[in-house]
Amino acid sequence: MVTSRRVLVLNGPNLNLLGKRQPEIYGHETLDDVEAQCRGVADKLELTLDFRQSNAEHELIGWLHGARETVAGIVINPAAYSHTSVAIMDALAACPCPIIEVHISNIHRREAFRHHSYVSHVATGVICGCGTQGYALALHRLAALFEKADQ
Ligand code: DQA
């Protein structure tokens, strides 16, 4: 059953290394810091969070299949799979809820191969280049969409 304010926050490959990996691009905050920020925002917005990370495409897809009938919204940073994975795009397309794609860095200012995201084809909205604050912005957007849907 879809729980009305339940949100899945999904993180793709290498985001477990946040804070250690290329800090000049991704900053010094760890994924635990990002989760703590998200939980703080979710509490204020009265959202229930399921926050996950995997380096494995099949695991991310399995979680998306599970989310289809259980969550009201998805925030996803698909990381490198944004640029390669038709399978993740298809799994998201099978989710009826709003989807906000987040990238910490501005992918359009980086290498050409990062300029295209398969996930953007099925995302409701895209936030990039706002650092880790992008996750909080995405949660605010979902909360606003839930409010609109309730009216
Ligand atoms: C990223 C951008 C991707 O191009 C990259 O592969 C990542 C992180 C970001 O958050 O800026 O791993 O999604």
Side-chain angles (χ1 to χ4, degrees):
M1 206 188 73
V2 173
T3 310
S4 63
R5 297 183 75 85
R6 188 173 189 85
V7 172
L8 174 64
V9 182
L10 214 51
N11 292 280
N14 302 307
L15 289 170
N16 54 312
L17 295 180
L18 210 57
K20 299 182 200 125
R21 164 201 184 213
Q22 296 182 284
E24 68 287 2
I25 296 175
Y26 300 114
H28 291 277
E29 280 155 327
T30 65
L31 196 61
D32 283 347
D33 295 332
V34 174
E35 179 171 358
Q37 283 167 21
C38 285
R39 292 206 179 279
V41 173
D43 282 352
K44 289 200 188 97
L45 297 173
E46 297 180 331
L47 303 174
T48 308
L49 273 203
D50 190 356
F51 190 100
R52 296 176 186 218
Q53 187 275 332
S54 178
N55 295 319
E57 192 174 22
H58 72 91
E59 193 162 34
L60 294 164
I61 290 167
W63 289 337
L64 288 171
H65 291 176
R68 285 185 67 237
E69 292 178 353
T70 54
V71 307
I74 296 171
V75 174
I76 182 165
N77 183 346
Y81 287 142
S82 320
H83 319 301
T84 63
S85 181
V86 175
I88 288 178
M89 177 186 74
D90 284 349
L92 285 164
C95 296
C97 63
I99 297 158
I100 310 294
E101 177 183 0
V102 171
H103 298 282
I104 296 165
S105 64
N106 181 351
I107 55 174
H108 302 291
R109 285 186 65 161
R110 300 183 61 193
E111 303 95 321
F113 65 84
R114 294 184 204 274
H115 296 177
H116 176 261
S117 163
Y118 285 99
V119 168
S120 298
H121 290 275
V122 294
T124 311
V126 181
I127 297 168
C128 81
C130 296
T132 57
Q133 195 190 356
Y135 289 82
L137 298 172
L139 292 174
H140 277 279
R141 179 62 185 156
L142 283 181
L145 291 174
F146 298 161
E147 244 93 277
K148 229 196 246 174
D150 284 347
Q151 278 168 12

